[in-house]
Amino acid sequence: DFGMLEERSFVHLREPSSRAGEPEYEISHSLTREVAYASIPKARRARLHLAFAEWLERLAEGRDDNAAVLAHHYAEAVREDYARLAWPDYGATVAGIEGKAVLWLRRASQLAIGRYEVDEGIGLLERALSMARNDVVSGELWRDIGRAHALKSTVLAQYHHGLVTRL
């Protein structure tokens, strides 16, 4: 009952909504969010993360502006401590979801690196690498990580030589 939650100041309606024509609520305090999240059983968390990611992917039609959110939710859906509880047939179910997680983590990393948020991009690539089950994909991720480190070194060198004024 969002009306009751809003009345008690646990949530508030976000104006404007990031989704045209749809109401969007924000939790008013981070502690409330943490308590609510912690009260959700881990198996249900995995299923909710997956359901949200699939919904957003359909709604957003794969647009880049949702890459980081999709990466987060697909990756959380296959966290081992959640996923093993969520799906009795763990291996078969998780394989496809891991593929989606890797795809969106990699895309989110490319976008972060493109904004020169290289450390964030490297972190996303490393998370993707921990989920990659294919040697070809793992090799591509290692190559992406190497390129990101090379870019970081180049930007730092330019910064130290005064060629870049802002990191």
Side-chain angles (χ1 to χ4, degrees):
D1 183 359
F2 283 102
M4 180 195 66
L5 292 172
E6 191 172 16
E7 193 176 288
R8 294 182 181 173
S9 299
F10 285 110
V11 299
H12 61 273
L13 193 59
R14 181 176 175 187
E15 293 291 342
S17 173
S18 62
R19 302 278 173 232
E22 293 189 35
E24 182 175 351
Y25 288 89
E26 290 181 319
I27 296 175
S28 299
H29 193 279
S30 61
L31 184 57
T32 303
R33 187 186 88 66
E34 292 302 318
V35 169
Y37 189 74
S39 71
I40 300 170
K42 290 179 179 181
R44 183 153 165 75
R45 285 183 211 173
R47 290 188 296 271
L48 288 171
H49 280 293
L50 177 61
F52 180 79
E54 290 174 336
W55 171 81
L56 182 60
E57 191 172 28
R58 273 191 315 275
L59 181 73
E61 299 171 341
R63 289 191 313 264
D64 282 346
D65 56 336
N66 296 299
V69 175
L70 287 164
H72 169 76
H73 286 286
Y74 275 121
E76 286 297 296
V78 292
R79 272 183 52 163
E80 191 168 349
D81 56 333
Y82 295 1
R84 286 203 180 275
L85 298 170
W87 296 287
D89 190 11
Y90 173 77
T93 303
V94 170
I97 304 167
E98 282 177 335
K100 288 281 200 169
V102 169
L103 175 117
W104 285 110
L105 285 162
R106 193 169 183 192
R107 184 62 190 137
S109 76
Q110 291 166 345
L111 294 168
I113 292 167
R115 295 185 307 268
Y116 290 99
E117 295 169 351
V118 181
D119 288 333
E120 178 184 338
I122 291 169
L124 291 165
L125 288 168
E126 288 172 345
R127 190 163 187 199
L129 184 62
S130 73
M131 293 178 195
R133 302 288 179 242
N134 176 307
D135 289 342
V136 172
V137 173
S138 293
E140 291 171 355
L141 289 165
W142 277 116
R143 183 196 65 218
D144 292 346
I145 290 168
R147 287 180 177 166
H149 279 289
L151 175 64
K152 182 178 176 180
S153 296
T154 301
V155 170
L156 285 173
Q158 290 176 348
Y159 176 75
H160 287 297
H161 288 96
L163 301 172
V164 175
T165 57
R166 184 176 148 280
L167 285 180

